[in-house]
Amino acid sequence: MPCSICAFGLSTPAEHAMQTCAACAAKCGIVPMPPATRPPAPCQRCNGRVFVRAIPREHTSARSGEQNTQVSVPMFVTHRPSLHDGWVLKYAKELEVENGFGVLELYICRACGFVEWYCPTVAAIPLQPNMMTELVDYDAGGEPYR
């Protein structure tokens, strides 16, 4: 089976699963699909039972030497800041978009277009202010959720 983008041959099981060679997958932000996380239930809006499942991707540009290149990677909830070691201090540098936490997937109802977002790796998301994440626990006391 050839790569669906460049038509070169596929050699690894991951390439066959993506129907894309590793080089094209890296350039286009394609990764093997993780197992589905949505429960097998009808659409919350219309009771439809057919969905499109997708891993949304972030598209941006990154500096590569003296030129900018396009970067596409799976969308994540948050990213850890990258640090550069200076002569004396460490400082934050440009975000490395491929190093994220909480990969996102979405399901789109084919009948009405309603979109549901899921995060199959929620347990791996660090809870830190510098990553703009926090835990909100409505069962931990206080006013009951209504």
Side-chain angles (χ1 to χ4, degrees):
M1 170 187 285
C3 172
S4 61
I5 297 172
C6 72
F8 282 111
L10 306 177
S11 58
T12 68
E15 289 178 339
H16 283 279
M18 298 181 295
Q19 297 180 351
T20 309
C21 69
C24 288
K27 291 177 185 172
C28 297
I30 300 170
V31 297
M33 295 284 279
T37 57
R38 185 186 186 279
C43 173
Q44 299 174 24
R45 299 287 167 101
C46 74
N47 288 325
R49 299 190 52 82
V50 179
F51 298 86
V52 172
R53 177 177 171 235
I55 305 294
R57 289 179 283 171
E58 301 180 54
H59 305 281
T60 187
S61 62
R63 210 144 166 87
S64 175
E66 292 299 314
Q67 58 186 347
N68 285 338
T69 58
Q70 178 182 332
V71 177
S72 297
V73 294
M75 190 176 286
F76 293 94
V77 172
T78 191
H79 296 82
R80 182 175 309 283
S82 299
L83 297 177
H84 176 74
D85 288 324
W87 285 92
V88 178
L89 302 172
K90 291 182 180 184
Y91 59 90
K93 62 180 184 177
E94 291 81 15
L95 184 67
E96 294 177 0
V97 292
E98 63 276 0
N99 295 328
F101 296 97
V103 67
L104 294 171
E105 67 178 299
L106 51 92
Y107 293 79
I108 308 156
C109 176
R110 289 288 300 257
C112 72
F114 181 67
V115 178
E116 295 178 49
W117 289 80
Y118 287 84
C119 179
T121 57
V122 66
I125 300 171
L127 303 174
Q128 299 173 2
N130 69 344
M131 298 181 87
M132 298 182 66
T133 57
E134 67 180 355
L135 185 65
V136 177
D137 185 351
Y138 292 113
D139 291 330
E143 290 293 316
Y145 180 73
R146 296 183 181 161

